[in-house]
Amino acid sequence: MTEGELWAPLTLEYPFTRTTGPVIGAFLTGLREGVLCGIRRPDGSVLVPPVEYDPETAEPLAEMVPVADTGEVVTWTWTSEARDHQPWDRPFAWAMVKLDGADTPLLHAVLVDDPSQMRTGMRVRARWRDEREGHVRDIEGFVPEPPS
Amino acid sequence: MRPVAVVSTAQRQEPELSGLTEVELMAPLIEKARSAVGLTQADIGFTCSGSSDFLAGQAFSFVMTLDAVGPVPPIAESHVEMDGAWALYEAWVKLQIGEIDTALVYSYGKSSPGSIRDVLATQLDPYYVAPLWPDSWALGALQARVLLEGGVVSERRMAEIAARSQSHAAGNANAVRAGTPTVDDLLDTAFVADPLRPHDCAATADGGVAVVLAADDRAGDLSDRPAWIRGIDHRIDAHHFGVRDLVAAPSAALAARHAGLGSDRVDIAELHSPFTTSEHLLTDALGLDEAAVTINPSGGALAGDTLMASGLMRIAEVADRISAGTADRGVAHASSGPWLQQNLVCVMGAD
């Protein structure tokens, strides 16, 4: 701080709560139970994570479908140093993971030590936290399957 | 449609303007844009701005910036929490109604006090994505890998786009990244978010821009060569990550079609690309023939990207060239999101 510079603390807040509803709420409840869910579209395809309305027709969607906690890396990038707020404190890969039984990929981390362990198409499995609270971070990340 | 034209613009962009308040930044620009066509605020029918409360750190921050306009006696005014290109769209709609003949549009952003690539995570889905805090470069990299491994783009093509931007930017005092690097020099740099290199990510900047619009005969009274808006449209992708095909920019293509791009030639295109890969996708989505169209004569957003202002700056860059007579027809593009989730296309011409 240089002389004459003015400082004041500022905390950005979002001081109200929302209900998550029957679709997002069901997904988050599933996470607490260690189960991943998607939602079925009229054409039979399964969106993971589930959305409340069809992305093309805006028709309400309701049929929740359990999917596997294993899947395939569709694309990835390497983070050599975790950034502020990110849930990991060591290098990791971001990836879009298409779970078995799902038709769309979700964003999460793949926890490996080095980018040389990453490739598109690799198989991964969710690593669940022991204590879960119905939050996307109940999955600590994905790890290669079988573990390398 | 009622003919509406850009008749005046003013802009400023620098790597960092943290010593200025928003009012100090915008007052000279607004005054310059108005006085260039001999107008005072009393002559303006409608005023619309674009800015981010999140960047400013307080609710209704745009109200404070109205001091730069001079809102007394009371003015007709509105604001969008979006890039100023969308504020221009609102003003264009207002002008279509026919009650007013002039409008002032401005927008600004100062992201330098924080880390914008992290802050942008807060605009993502609040349940599935934002709690993980993916930074915008990482998201850009996820798309870039899909494009590279799918053979849609090459690292060399990405570097060529960056080199073109930087060399065009050499003539733009508001650009913050300009130079004459060779493609091989650029490819020789390390990844910042594998497979993105520094030159692939737009150079973040602080800045602001002001534009005066006028309709019908009023435009001709105010400017010798107004930049007429011939088509304008904006579209958005489905909300969720993963439902979108990453090898295309569908909402950009849709906006281009509805704006009438493709019905006639364009001489120049100013693109709001957060990454070199986005620029490659946009060139395709907008159907631009690089042999016939000068892409980003100002350097584009890759050479200086001010959150909330970059899109309106693209419109100003095209309008300036049309008014100066160095182009007859052009297209300006504005976007939001690391994957070009939201897009506005504005086609402009001298006649």
Side-chain angles (χ1 to χ4, degrees), chain A residues 49-105:
Chain A
V51 301
E52 293 163 318
Y53 299 95
D54 189 279
E56 278 171 32
T57 65
E59 214 177 301
L61 301 176
E63 189 192 344
M64 299 292 291
V65 184
V67 296
D69 68 355
T70 54
E72 181 184 309
V73 168
V74 172
T75 182
W76 61 275
T77 182
W78 186 250
T79 295
S80 52
E81 198 172 327
R83 302 182 66 78
D84 285 352
H85 311 298
Q86 290 177 345
W88 307 278
D89 58 5
R90 59 189 174 96
F92 66 95
W94 287 109
M96 297 294 285
V97 176
K98 189 152 88 176
L99 298 170
D100 298 328
D103 292 285
T104 58

Side-chain angles (χ1 to χ4, degrees), chain A residues 72-139:
Chain A
E72 181 184 309
V73 168
V74 172
T75 182
W76 61 275
T77 182
W78 186 250
T79 295
S80 52
E81 198 172 327
R83 302 182 66 78
D84 285 352
H85 311 298
Q86 290 177 345
W88 307 278
D89 58 5
R90 59 189 174 96
F92 66 95
W94 287 109
M96 297 294 285
V97 176
K98 189 152 88 176
L99 298 170
D100 298 328
D103 292 285
T104 58
L106 61 76
L107 179 77
H108 221 290
V110 176
L111 306 174
V112 292
D113 299 325
D114 190 274
S116 66
Q117 295 166 271
M118 291 300 302
R119 62 177 175 81
T120 302
M122 71 188 281
R123 300 280 308 165
V124 290
R125 172 184 292 275
R127 180 194 282 166
W128 295 92
R129 289 184 200 280
D130 294 333
E131 307 224 334
R132 297 187 294 271
E133 52 176 26
H135 190 276
V136 70
R137 283 157 66 164
D138 287 349
I139 297 173

Side-chain angles (χ1 to χ4, degrees), chain A residues 10 12 18 20 24 27 47 49-51 55 75-77 83 85-88 94 96 104-105 107-108 120 135-137, chain B residues 54 57 115 117-118 126-129 131-135 138-139 141-142 145-146 149 193-195 238 240-243 339:
Chain A
L10 173 67
L12 283 176
R18 292 164 291 174
T20 49
I24 295 165
F27 179 80
L47 300 172
V51 301
T75 182
W76 61 275
T77 182
R83 302 182 66 78
H85 311 298
Q86 290 177 345
W88 307 278
W94 287 109
M96 297 294 285
T104 58
L107 179 77
H108 221 290
T120 302
H135 190 276
V136 70
R137 283 157 66 164
Chain B
F54 207 103
S115 173
R117 56 185 279 214
D118 299 307
Y127 307 105
Y128 298 151
V129 183
L132 302 174
W133 287 86
D135 73 280
L139 293 173
L142 290 173
R145 185 176 306 284
V146 172
E149 293 185 351
D194 184 354
H240 273 279
F241 278 20
V243 303
W339 291 350

Side-chain angles (χ1 to χ4, degrees), chain B residues 27 32 52 60 69 82 130 137 167 169 223 337:
Chain B
K32 187 176 172 192
S52 168
F60 290 92
V69 175
M82 305 171 82
W137 290 5
S167 77
S223 167

